[in-house]
Amino acid sequence: MTQLAQLEQQLDGERRLLVAFSGGLDSTVLLHQLTLLRPRLDLQLRAIHIHHGLSPHADRWAQHCRAVCAAWQVTLETVNIQVDGRESGIEGAAREGRYRAFRQHLQRGEALVTAQHLDDQCETLLLALKRGSGPAGLAAMPASLALGDSRLLRPLLQCRREALESWAQQHQLRWVEDESNQDTRYDRNFLRQEIVPRLNARWPHFSAAAARSASLCGEQEQLLDELLAESLSMLTQPDGALRIDGFTALSAVRRTALLRRWIAACGGNMPSRDAVQRIWQEVICAREDAAPRLRLGEFEVRRYRQALYWLPLRPSVRDAILLWADLQQPLLLPHGLGTLRLAETGSEMRAPRADERVSVRFQAQGSFAIVGRGGHRPLKKLWQECGVPPWRRESTPLIFYNDTLIAALNTFVCREGSVAPGHGLRIVWQQPSYGELK
């Protein structure tokens, strides 16, 4: 099978493609091959170049990519990102930044296409072995996987680097060389420059065998996904939280597998064995009256009413006060908490009088009487009675008219805000999905 025929097969029917284009050998060959397939397959191609700013040559690389794309009549988008390697290292931070940018710039109906090849797959497997990864990590890079509402395709995973070099020479392609690829202080470069060539020299099919092992690990993980899918679905609440009331009866191996798949479903990275063990000991097994929480990177796991929640870390909005001068215009909440707008659904309350100024706050002092219940209760007690988790209590928008609390959106309306059904205004709180905000 020719390289173009193999590439067409790997596209799996996708016709709108966003190509990750660094300007290096691999992505240059991929983009060139796609342009050759474009007329016959009616492909809609765009390219994206990530400018990390880590090399003094980065501007020249971006200029090269613009020139190549102009010559091949491919629309190019150049995105500048900041890389902070203090927490996960330069390699990890750069990769996270790239894929964040890819997700942000993918258009509806597009698939992201990247140029990793067979030798990259071998390196990824060896890195996973170095980390002591299980089958999920050893599965390395799948040829296709979901990326939000889109797909990520790696159509060159069956190609050796030497085949890509041969194509580039045959078609007289030009590409850039990243000088950092020669720096063996980076783990992947060390494997690429010093280890994998020796392995392939001793065993010529080593990279292919490693890729086959990764594929077999991936099949085992897929089988586990299928076998555990029903159990995970039964344990997952409508709000995305994981019920743990029956966890003590499960084997440690089954608990770990379920926790890993739940975190993946929430959009989290695969946790280490130590992280899973800490979730079990410090969160699930914490005393009943505790409010345990465990930070994992930019997220935390918290327990509430025998369920686990996967939560993004966000700055406090406790002291924020937002004036909502024109109720006809949506109000954007800070730190990705969502948007408020008038609608035909949502919390119904009386309209403000002419002398009342509307504001949104996130804390209130005192006791309040709410519609449908008698007497006054402290706000903390109301939160508890309404089943609002602790982290929601300081991020739920509170509607104030002047200094009077009128409503806690999606939770209750105070008597001061009561109105005959159908005679008030309704405010809906449009929140991010579970994977973005809990």
Side-chain angles (χ1 to χ4, degrees), residues 10 36 78 80 105 115 119-120 143 148 182 198 202 218 222 227 254 328 343 361 365 428:
Q10 293 299 316
L36 295 181
T78 301
N80 290 20
H105 289 83
D119 298 283
D120 292 325
Q182 306 302 316
R198 297 183 65 182
R202 177 65 181 262
Q222 183 178 348
L227 294 175
R254 190 176 183 88
Q328 300 303 317
R361 310 180 193 185
Q365 303 296 326
V428 66

Side-chain angles (χ1 to χ4, degrees), residues 330-333 336-343 345 392 397 409-410 427-433 437:
L331 180 68
L332 182 65
L333 301 177
L337 289 175
T339 304
L340 306 185
R341 67 178 69 246
L342 296 186
T345 60
R392 279 285 200 177
L409 292 185
N410 296 357
I427 298 175
V428 66
W429 177 16
Q430 294 178 328
Q431 305 171 60
S433 65
L437 172 67

Side-chain angles (χ1 to χ4, degrees), residues 281-425:
Q281 293 177 341
E282 301 176 26
V283 182
I284 297 176
C285 293
R287 69 181 191 274
E288 189 173 344
D289 61 345
R293 58 198 298 181
L294 174 65
R295 177 173 177 173
L296 296 174
E298 297 180 355
F299 295 84
E300 64 178 354
V301 179
R302 299 184 67 160
R303 189 190 73 193
Y304 179 69
R305 294 188 175 180
Q306 289 301 297
L308 295 184
Y309 292 80
W310 179 260
L311 308 167
L313 295 173
R314 297 185 184 276
S316 173
V317 292
R318 179 177 173 82
D319 297 324
I321 298 178
L322 309 175
L323 296 179
W324 197 357
D326 184 359
L327 295 182
Q328 300 303 317
Q329 298 298 318
L331 180 68
L332 182 65
L333 301 177
H335 305 307
L337 289 175
T339 304
L340 306 185
R341 67 178 69 246
L342 296 186
E344 296 181 358
T345 60
S347 303
E348 186 175 20
M349 64 203 74
R350 69 173 177 84
R353 296 188 297 267
D355 62 340
E356 291 179 321
R357 187 173 60 169
V358 182
S359 65
V360 176
R361 310 180 193 185
F362 298 91
Q363 64 170 323
Q365 303 296 326
S367 296
F368 305 92
I370 66 175
V371 173
R373 299 190 188 182
H376 287 69
R377 291 173 177 80
L379 185 57
K380 180 179 179 180
K381 187 69 173 177
L382 290 173
W383 290 135
Q384 292 172 345
E385 292 177 358
C386 294
V388 178
W391 57 89
R392 279 285 200 177
R393 298 172 190 177
E394 293 186 0
S395 62
T396 294
L398 305 178
I399 303 296
F400 277 77
Y401 293 171
N402 291 336
D403 291 320
T404 300
L405 177 62
I406 297 298
L409 292 185
N410 296 357
T411 308
F412 60 78
V413 174
C414 294
R415 289 183 191 169
E416 290 81 357
S418 64
V419 67
H423 291 77
L425 57 83

Side-chain angles (χ1 to χ4, degrees), residues 57-333:
H57 307 296
D59 289 339
R60 180 171 58 82
W61 298 340
Q63 184 178 3
H64 167 84
C65 290
R66 285 192 290 270
V68 170
C69 287
W72 292 348
Q73 297 182 328
V74 175
T75 300
L76 175 69
E77 189 164 3
T78 301
V79 180
N80 290 20
I81 65 171
Q82 299 293 322
V83 178
D84 185 351
R86 288 175 294 181
E87 186 168 311
S88 56
I90 292 294
E91 287 179 290
R95 184 183 186 280
E96 291 173 10
R98 281 196 302 276
Y99 278 87
R100 188 182 306 115
F102 293 154
R103 288 191 294 270
Q104 291 171 348
H105 289 83
L106 268 169
Q107 297 177 0
R108 184 179 297 275
E110 279 186 332
L112 175 67
V113 188
T114 60
Q116 290 95 346
H117 49 73
L118 188 68
D119 298 283
D120 292 325
Q121 184 76 300
C122 177
E123 295 161 10
T124 300
L125 178 69
L126 293 174
L127 288 171
L129 284 172
K130 187 265 294 184
R131 293 191 299 267
S133 299
L138 295 176
M141 297 181 290
S144 173
L145 77 161
L147 188 68
D149 296 329
S150 303
R151 293 175 67 198
L152 167 60
L153 303 178
R154 298 184 177 105
L156 301 184
L157 280 183
Q158 301 303 316
C159 296
R160 292 292 306 271
R161 180 180 173 85
E162 58 192 34
L164 302 182
E165 291 174 340
S166 176
W167 179 282
Q169 292 166 2
Q170 177 186 348
H171 294 274
Q172 298 181 327
L173 302 181
R174 296 183 302 109
W175 64 89
V176 300
E177 293 285 357
D178 185 344
E179 75 282 355
S180 70
N181 288 338
Q182 306 302 316
D183 189 345
T184 55
R185 291 177 300 175
Y186 298 121
D187 290 342
R188 185 175 289 275
N189 291 344
F190 171 70
L191 291 173
R192 181 176 300 160
Q193 301 297 331
E194 300 190 17
I195 303 302
V196 173
R198 297 183 65 182
L199 292 172
N200 282 320
R202 177 65 181 262
W203 301 293
H205 300 293
F206 181 84
S207 290
R212 187 163 59 251
S213 293
S215 178
L216 291 171
C217 287
E219 290 178 8
Q220 294 300 308
E221 280 299 291
Q222 183 178 348
L223 176 60
L224 277 176
D225 288 343
E226 294 175 3
L227 294 175
L228 292 173
E230 184 176 356
S231 295
L232 185 61
S233 177
M234 292 176 61
L235 290 171
T236 303
Q237 299 180 164
D239 63 358
L242 183 71
R243 294 204 319 275
I244 55 172
D245 41 336
F247 257 44
T248 54
L250 302 179
S251 69
V253 173
R254 190 176 183 88
R255 284 197 308 263
T256 296
L258 286 169
L259 283 170
R260 287 181 184 275
R261 281 157 179 79
W262 171 68
I263 291 173
C266 294
N269 294 327
M270 185 63 64
S272 65
R273 173 182 290 185
D274 177 66
V276 173
Q277 188 66 19
R278 292 186 65 191
I279 292 173
W280 170 249
Q281 293 177 341
E282 301 176 26
V283 182
I284 297 176
C285 293
R287 69 181 191 274
E288 189 173 344
D289 61 345
R293 58 198 298 181
L294 174 65
R295 177 173 177 173
L296 296 174
E298 297 180 355
F299 295 84
E300 64 178 354
V301 179
R302 299 184 67 160
R303 189 190 73 193
Y304 179 69
R305 294 188 175 180
Q306 289 301 297
L308 295 184
Y309 292 80
W310 179 260
L311 308 167
L313 295 173
R314 297 185 184 276
S316 173
V317 292
R318 179 177 173 82
D319 297 324
I321 298 178
L322 309 175
L323 296 179
W324 197 357
D326 184 359
L327 295 182
Q328 300 303 317
Q329 298 298 318
L331 180 68
L332 182 65
L333 301 177

